[in-house]
Amino acid sequence: MAVSERKKIYLSSPHLGDVEMKYVQDAFATNWIAPLGPHVEGFEREVERYVGARAAVALSSGTAALHLALRYLNAGPGHTVFCSTLTFVASANPILYVGAKPVFIDSEPDTWNMSPTALERALQEAKSRGNLPKAVIVVHLYGQSADMDPIVELCETYGVPLIEDAAESIGATYKGRSSGTFGHFGLFSFNGNKIITTSGGGMLVSDKVEAIDKIRYWATQARDPARHYQHSEIGYNYRLSNILAAIGRGQLVVLNDRIEARRSIFDSYHQRFGKVPGITFMPELPESRGNRWLTAFTIDPEVAGVTASDLMERLEQDNIEARPIWKPMHLQPLFQGCTYYPHNEVESISDRLFESGICLPSGSNMTDEDLDRVVHVIEKCLKKVTLI
Ligand SMILES: *Cc1c(COP(=O)(O)O)cnc(C)c1O
């Protein structure tokens, strides 16, 4: 069947407005086009204040932020780093950059995020082998916080530093506290598809001010404080430019509105399909509030009569972008042979989420008509097999 001529509805497209333009115009007017400049510092201080962290450094990407956090924690050859398996590859690639070995931890049904049970098993075994990981990277998928209390407690008990990959979860909270502020480090991404964007960019936050200062130095080609160009350590060109930081400052102002918009999109989908037998929406822990970056649900074909791929195909025919849940890292050819700890002996939760999950268009700039179009296609697909 031919793909519809109708306007394309994206999974999550950038949503920029007047405030961002005002900041960018200021960057032009003051000729701060060069990297660094007042907007970079302004953006860092504003993110610190927004999430409640003592220090922040603006970087060229979330991936760069994770790379430098791992370097700071001295992860390298001969070491392991634990990481959520259900995530985008950028959560795990930096482990390879530093020469360490990833060990993947499954999800749990209540959050779709890191299973504390699997993490505990992995830590116990590592300890008994005398090979505790250099860090645990916990991912907050689709803007939904992992169950942080048991994860933080386990990391403290075993003395392993925790890094939060909060690339998708800026503005989310767990028991009133901001996602990204529970571990040694938290990182955010401002890539084009995220809830707020600078077209590309990232931020690393921490309460350890000296750590962030050191990372800022590495990210700026490790330039020693001397008038001449002097370097005593390996550095990177990882800083965010002033002009992108200007966009970020404008986006931060509207972040709460963007969260409201995405949550309301989730609610619309949930109202319509939440009771359909076989469909299970991504949960939200009590006392936590996700930013609902993407609305995701799983569909059991035995019950609902259609598969997630059927739905995606139908949506695509109507020029609507939908995606599967991230393919788990332990199933990726890149990480073949890496150790993996499933939720329990009998089931791997992330495999099931991947096989049966779908992410729906969730952009904060979607119109009511866009949303109706998506809902209508799904309804039609379901109606063919069930009476909803
Ligand atoms: C987007 C994303 C990243 C990477 O961020 P970039 O800014 O694109 O480098 C890392 N982890 C997760 C879970 C992401 O979704």
Side-chain angles (χ1 to χ4, degrees):
M1 201 190 292
V3 169
S4 151
E5 301 288 305
R6 306 174 82 179
K7 180 188 112 185
K8 174 141 186 164
I9 300 177
Y10 290 94
L11 191 68
S12 176
S13 64
H15 183 180
L16 283 88
D18 300 340
V19 202
E20 294 84 337
M21 191 49 88
K22 194 175 79 80
Y23 279 110
V24 173
Q25 273 164 352
D26 172 78
F28 270 75
T30 52
N31 205 29
W32 276 107
I33 305 303
L36 302 186
H39 286 302
V40 173
E41 273 178 38
F43 191 32
E44 289 173 349
R45 300 300 80 76
E46 285 156 12
V47 168
E48 284 167 11
R49 217 171 308 138
Y50 183 88
V51 303
R54 284 183 62 207
V57 54
L59 297 162
S60 52
S61 69
T63 311
L66 184 52
H67 182 190
L68 295 183
L70 287 173
R71 174 166 168 195
Y72 187 84
L73 296 172
N74 289 313
H79 302 138
T80 60
V81 172
F82 290 4
C83 181
S84 303
T85 193
L86 193 63
T87 186
F88 176 53
V89 70
S91 306
N93 267 335
I95 303 172
L96 302 182
Y97 300 168
V98 298
K101 253 205 173 120
V103 169
F104 294 111
I105 312 292
D106 197 10
S107 301
E108 49 138 359
D110 291 346
T111 59
W112 295 13
N113 283 310
M114 186 179 276
S115 156
T117 336
L119 176 63
E120 181 163 28
R121 262 196 352 272
L123 285 168
Q124 267 165 5
E125 284 184 22
K127 182 160 191 208
S128 68
R129 278 197 310 270
N131 184 25
L132 279 169
K134 279 291 181 182
V136 169
I137 301 169
V138 60
V139 180
H140 305 300
L141 208 65
Y142 304 135
Q144 154 74 46
S145 181
D147 192 6
M148 292 309 285
D149 279 350
I151 292 172
V152 167
E153 197 184 316
L154 281 167
C155 287
E156 278 171 1
T157 305
Y158 285 87
V160 178
L162 179 63
I163 302 174
E164 288 178 83
D165 180 346
E168 301 175 359
S169 68
I170 191 166
T173 57
Y174 174 87
K175 301 197 174 170
R177 192 161 149 192
S178 283
S179 195
T181 62
F182 289 79
H184 278 56
F185 293 105
L187 63 101
F188 303 112
S189 166
F190 309 113
N191 193 28
N193 59 353
K194 298 298 194 304
I195 192 160
I196 58 170
T197 181
T198 59
S199 84
M203 185 86 69
L204 189 68
V205 299
S206 179
D207 280 340
K208 299 180 192 341
V209 180
E210 341 71 66
I212 293 295
D213 285 345
K214 182 78 182 191
I215 283 168
R216 185 178 287 109
Y217 157 82
W218 283 336
T220 324
Q221 303 284 22
R223 189 178 162 193
D224 293 337
R227 180 174 295 136
H228 51 276
Y229 281 75
Q230 177 174 297
H231 308 272
S232 12
E233 293 186 53
I234 295 178
Y236 308 85
N237 180 7
Y238 271 179
R239 293 305 306 274
L240 188 69
S241 83
N242 194 55
I243 204 138
L244 298 188
I247 302 175
R249 294 182 81 179
Q251 285 267 276
L252 200 58
V253 173
V254 295
L255 173 56
N256 288 344
D257 301 336
R258 301 296 187 255
I259 295 173
E260 290 313 318
R262 298 225 182 206
R263 287 187 64 88
S264 125
I265 288 166
F266 176 94
D267 289 343
S268 302
Y269 286 129
H270 187 260
Q271 254 168 27
R272 189 61 197 89
F273 303 116
K275 293 206 171 67
V276 175
I279 288 186
T280 311
F281 277 76
M282 185 178 198
E284 186 172 52
L285 282 180
E287 293 186 81
S288 84
R289 190 172 188 272
N291 67 19
R292 294 296 192 196
W293 173 51
L294 296 183
T295 293
F297 64 64
T298 56
I299 181 158
D300 180 349
E302 306 276 298
V303 182
V306 280
T307 64
S309 321
D310 294 337
L311 280 185
M312 277 179 269
E313 210 162 287
R314 290 293 296 273
L315 289 163
E316 197 180 314
Q317 282 165 7
D318 207 62
N319 216 13
I320 297 168
E321 185 185 23
R323 287 283 164 87
I325 304 283
W326 298 123
K327 179 172 184 173
M329 293 304 112
H330 72 274
L331 300 178
Q332 299 285 355
L334 174 64
F335 297 113
Q336 215 171 9
C338 289
T339 308
Y340 169 58
Y341 286 89
H343 181 55
N344 56 44
E345 308 299 323
V346 290
E347 58 176 343
S348 170
I349 304 294
S350 56
D351 283 65
R352 180 173 61 70
L353 293 170
F354 168 58
E355 281 154 19
S356 60
I358 176 171
C359 298
L360 298 177
S362 308
S364 46
N365 46 8
M366 274 175 87
T367 62
D368 288 346
E369 294 80 66
D370 292 342
L371 195 58
D372 284 347
R373 242 177 82 195
V374 181
V375 166
H376 188 63
V377 172
I378 300 174
E379 275 174 350
K380 261 186 11 201
C381 201
L382 291 169
K383 264 190 194 132
K384 273 176 77 177
V385 287
T386 53
L387 296 166
I388 60 166

